[in-house]
Structure formats: C-alpha cells, structure tokens
Amino acid sequence: MEQASQQQAAVGSAVDAEAAGQDAAGTPVSSSSTGSQVPMEIQQALLPKVVAGSYAHPFSPWRRRYMVGLVSVLAALLCADQNLLAPNLSAAAAYFGLNDRQKDAVLGGYLMAAFFVVGAPAALLCGYLADQHNRVVLLAGIIIIGEAPCLCTYWVTELWQFFLLRMLTGIAVGGCFPLLFSLLGDLFPVSQRSAMSALAQAAVGAGLGGGQLLAGLVGPATNWRLPFVILAAPSLLLALLLLFTVQEPPRGAFEEALRGQL
C-alpha cells in the first residue's frame, strides 16, 4: 500500500509539472522555465499494475476429465460399429441368401454407402441443434438412436431390416462428432483443447480397429450378428450414465470475449 501511494504521488507530481507548463490562456510555457514535460508512457508505467484474476471453471478438473473419458469411450464404441460387418461379409451374405456378386454389390457397396450418406446430413443437423439445445441430452439421445438398432441386428431376418438398422446407426455416427467437439471446447482452455481433441480422435481410431478385431474373432466362432450385441449393450448403458451423471457445461466458458458475461 505504501509503495502504491508513492507511485500515485509521483504520478500526481508529473501531472502538476505538465499543467505548470501552460499559462492561464492554455499556451505552453517554455520548457526552460518549467522543466521538461513527463511523457504519458512514464505516467502509465508509474501506475500500479492491475492483474486480472484467472477464470475458474464451475466444473472441477476431475469432473471435466471424467466427462472427456466417458464421451471418448462412447465415441469409440459407436465408431467400432462401422467395421463389424467387414470380417463376416460372406457369412452375412449366406444368411440373406446372396451370391458372391450380390454380396459385393449390396453388402459391400449399397449398404456401406447408405451408412455414410445419411451420416453427413445428420452431422449438419446435430451441429445446428448443438447451438440451440442441451448437448449432453442430444449426445445421449444420438447414441441411443445408433446403438439400439445395433442391438436389434441380432434378430434381423430380412435384408431390408438390416439395411434400415444400419442406416439408423449411420445417423448416430455422423451426429455424435459435432456434439463431442462442442463439449470439449467448453471444458478446457485453448491451451488444452488440442490435446483433448487428440484424445477423442485416438479413441475413435481405437474403436474402428477394435471393432473389426472383435468381429473377426467372435463372428467365425459364434455367428456374425453377436459382435453387434457385444458393442451395443455397454454403449446403451454408458449413454444412460452420461445422461444422469453429466451436466451441460457453460457455453464459451474459456472464451476471452465472453469473460464476465457468463
């Protein structure tokens, strides 16, 4: 406090000296009689520094890490579903009565195209909804939309049923990413977002490879539909866990332009 008072007194003396450099009519007086004026930069340097306090996120660090871990595991399980059919394509074709040419065209071509074609519009829609509604509820809902059909795959008997279920799963795979990265942006500052995004992307890659490995090991040993159940069941349980244990983080929590408006 004493140092700040001395700095303020020095600034006041500098201002008085500057004011003394002008006469009553406002005409500057020669510097030979009043001394040189104190530049504004020196005045500002003498003022006590005001340091803005760091922003404290309303969610604790461990709570935010829990959210990242949970949504990353869910994204991995959801994306693992993409490659479940590939190792068991011949078994699925035999189940639906398709010959080799139909297998490649229908299961390897049309089905996979439909899976991704519906995913792109779903991503755009979920990105729009993420700006308007609760993202945690949307993410839990989109996972249920994708994994419930995945679970029902075990009971399909017709090709059109399988086609429809795969399209619904494609909607969920495309729609989860805008929600996932929107949540990550509000959980961590700029300096940590790249690392968290890399973690989520690594989980997605692990899910893609792990799903294909699972289908390649389990499918030939049992039947080609069982891997869908193995992935869908825990995904649905984790979606409910997400819905009941995770809250919507404040939007723009670490954005400098919004500081003080939250």
Side-chain angles (χ1 to χ4, degrees):
M1 292 296 292
E2 182 179 354
Q3 182 179 1
S5 299
Q6 293 175 355
Q7 292 175 342
Q8 292 177 353
V11 173
S13 299
V15 173
D16 292 341
E18 183 179 2
Q22 296 182 353
D23 58 13
T27 304
V29 181
S30 174
S31 59
S32 60
S33 60
T34 60
S36 60
Q37 297 181 7
V38 179
M40 183 61 66
E41 291 79 2
I42 297 179
Q43 298 181 32
Q44 294 176 349
L46 293 174
L47 289 172
K49 303 295 183 181
V50 178
V51 180
S54 59
Y55 175 74
H57 198 282
F59 294 175
S60 67
W62 284 108
R63 185 177 178 185
R64 286 181 277 145
R65 293 189 188 105
Y66 163 76
M67 292 175 64
V68 172
L70 181 57
V71 297
S72 297
V73 170
L74 283 167
L77 290 173
L78 191 60
C79 292
D81 181 79
Q82 294 184 37
N83 290 335
L84 290 182
L85 183 61
N88 301 296
L89 206 60
S90 297
Y95 181 82
F96 293 117
L98 303 176
N99 58 36
D100 288 343
R101 183 175 181 179
Q102 292 172 326
K103 175 190 71 174
D104 294 335
V106 176
L107 296 182
Y110 302 146
L111 182 65
M112 296 306 297
F115 183 91
F116 291 105
V117 164
V118 297
L124 294 174
L125 177 62
C126 287
Y128 170 77
L129 293 176
D131 293 332
Q132 311 294 328
H133 302 284
N134 188 301
R135 292 163 292 178
V136 173
V137 174
L138 287 172
L139 182 58
I142 205 71
I143 291 170
I144 292 172
I145 289 174
E147 293 304 317
C150 185
L151 181 68
C152 294
T153 301
Y154 190 81
W155 293 277
V156 296
T157 57
E158 302 291 338
L159 181 59
W160 70 266
Q161 297 171 345
F162 185 53
F163 219 97
L164 177 62
L165 295 177
R166 297 306 292 161
M167 290 181 69
L168 289 173
T169 301
I171 292 174
V173 171
C176 76
F177 289 105
L179 300 169
L180 172 64
F181 289 108
S182 177
L183 288 170
L184 290 179
D186 287 337
L187 289 175
F188 295 93
V190 175
S191 60
Q192 300 178 21
R193 287 176 194 167
S194 296
M196 294 301 105
S197 298
L199 176 63
Q201 283 295 124
V204 169
L208 290 170
Q212 188 159 352
L213 177 64
L214 173 68
L217 295 175
V218 175
T222 55
N223 71 71
W224 66 274
R225 293 166 292 161
L226 185 60
F228 291 89
V229 178
I230 295 175
L231 283 179
S235 299
L236 291 171
L237 293 176
L238 289 177
L240 294 177
L241 183 66
L242 174 74
L243 188 61
F244 291 110
T245 63
V246 172
Q247 294 181 353
E248 170 85 349
R251 294 180 184 270
F254 283 109
E255 302 299 330
E256 293 289 340
L258 300 177
R259 191 66 52 83
Q261 301 181 27
L262 303 174

